[in-house]
Amino acid sequence: MILFNCAFGAIVLLAVFQILLDLGTLATMLVRSRSVHVPDGVRFAIAGLAALLAAIGVGNAIRVPPINDIEVAIRDLPPEFAGYRILQLTDLHISRLFPERWARQTVDRANASGVDLIVVTGDFIDGSVAMRSHDVEPLRDLRAPYGVYAIPGNHEYFFDYAAWMRHLAGLGIRMLPNAHAVLTRGDARLVLAGVTDLSAPGVGQAGPDLSAALAGSPDDVPVILLDHQPKDARRAAARGVALQLSGHTHGGMIAGLDKLVAPANGGFVSGRYEVAGMTLYVSNGTALWPGFALRLGRPSELTRITLRTAP
């Protein structure tokens, strides 16, 4: 899988470089009104550069991600929750490229992060329960004082959604498909809500429903929303959500590629956004889809979010 991604990445990058080189050559010919010869050495050089960048990109993709620290100020956050820390994992895509050993190392780093709560915003796997049950087993050991909560991503619907929901719950992960939990510290409360993925109706499952997710939740309590895809962030902001955590985009994978990814994701691809009074954070992902596993300028991450009270 590593060799496949190196080779495929080199081919894709070389194609881009060749097109850019040929466009530059054509532009030069038009300006000079004569033919221009590109030395063979130049084409060999860009082939070598494509191979080198592909190898670097795959290496960046398959590493165990570092901790990325951010702070989020939330209006009306109870003082008891000031300094509360949440670790977001997303887009693990546990597979032949990200197997049990990688999952174990990622879990160990997550458990050592010293957070209060761990959340996973979807795309746990690539493969069926029968194929991946051994590789996801380390997730059973995820530990945080306030628990481990998660939502499905679009890839869970590709591989028997119901079976994966049962299996993940059996690992001790509390799933929140159009549901919520109330977190308490003393008398203070915080709502953690989750929705299903936009791809769910395509396989006969319930689509994301924020109203259902918040049904019965206490009023006048800040809401943190887990939504795999960021494109509906404006709707969440209109419902008064304070913080939305998303993934799905992989940060665009390669710097510059985010411009192509943005339109399909409501303009949200990587990092922090302020959306009508709500903070949206789109993680670059803990891993990514193994079919094209390159990262250049868009590093993987375990995101540690510290909550602060907005002035």
Side-chain angles (χ1 to χ4, degrees):
M1 289 296 292
I2 292 173
L3 290 174
F4 165 80
N5 275 280
C6 286
F8 185 43
I11 291 169
V12 171
L13 291 171
L14 179 57
V16 172
F17 292 161
Q18 290 278 29
I19 290 169
L20 292 175
L21 177 62
D22 289 343
L23 288 175
T25 302
L26 287 172
T28 303
M29 291 171 62
L30 289 173
V31 170
R32 295 184 178 181
S33 299
R34 61 182 178 84
S35 62
V36 175
H37 172 67
V38 178
D40 290 343
V42 173
R43 297 197 183 274
F44 284 125
I46 64 172
L49 178 62
L52 176 62
L53 288 177
I56 293 172
V58 173
N60 289 338
I62 64 175
R63 68 175 182 169
V64 176
I67 301 287
N68 178 32
D69 277 300
I70 66 169
E71 292 190 355
V72 175
I74 292 181
R75 185 181 304 168
D76 300 324
L77 181 73
E80 293 86 345
F81 279 98
Y84 191 84
R85 295 193 295 180
I86 303 168
L87 188 72
Q88 180 193 9
L89 290 74
T90 191
D91 300 277
L92 289 88
H93 291 281
I94 292 173
S95 58
R96 290 183 64 191
L97 188 61
F98 299 98
E100 186 271 343
R101 183 176 64 177
W102 178 91
R104 172 63 60 192
Q105 293 173 335
T106 299
V107 166
D108 289 345
R109 183 162 293 178
N111 287 343
S113 64
V115 295
D116 299 289
L117 176 74
I118 294 176
V119 298
V120 186
T121 49
D123 278 7
F124 285 83
I125 47 81
D126 276 293
S128 66
V129 172
M131 294 168 63
R132 298 277 81 89
S133 59
H134 173 71
D135 293 321
V136 302
E137 186 61 24
L139 299 183
R140 186 186 301 276
D141 296 327
L142 279 171
R143 294 288 184 272
Y146 286 76
V148 181
Y149 292 82
I151 55 168
N154 55 306
H155 280 242
E156 276 71 67
Y157 294 94
F158 299 161
F159 300 100
D160 195 340
Y161 168 78
W164 270 117
M165 293 293 282
R166 289 192 300 270
H167 192 79
L168 293 170
L171 296 177
I173 300 170
R174 181 171 173 184
M175 304 300 294
L176 296 175
N178 294 333
H180 74 270
V182 179
L183 309 175
T184 60
R185 258 188 169 181
D187 294 330
R189 295 180 296 177
L190 198 63
V191 170
L192 179 68
V195 292
T196 56
D197 188 73
L198 288 165
S199 63
V203 292
Q205 298 290 338
D209 187 338
L210 185 54
S211 295
L214 295 177
S217 63
D219 296 329
D220 301 322
V221 173
V223 175
I224 298 173
L225 175 65
L226 311 180
D227 188 347
H228 178 63
Q229 299 192 39
K231 68 190 323 180
D232 283 342
R234 294 178 181 87
R235 294 182 185 177
R239 290 293 306 271
V241 171
L243 169 63
Q244 177 175 322
L245 301 177
S246 297
H248 182 65
T249 65
H250 305 159
M253 297 184 295
I254 299 173
L257 192 60
D258 54 315
K259 305 300 182 186
L260 300 178
V261 174
N265 292 280
F268 310 118
V269 180
S270 175
R272 182 198 301 259
Y273 300 87
E274 298 301 323
V275 185
M278 179 189 79
T279 298
L280 165 67
Y281 189 79
V282 184
S283 170
N284 288 344
T286 311
L288 41 67
W289 180 57
F292 186 66
L294 268 76
R295 285 193 181 276
L296 293 169
R298 289 292 182 267
S300 56
E301 61 181 291
L302 291 168
T303 315
R304 185 164 54 194
I305 304 112
T306 302
L307 304 184
R308 302 295 184 195
T309 302

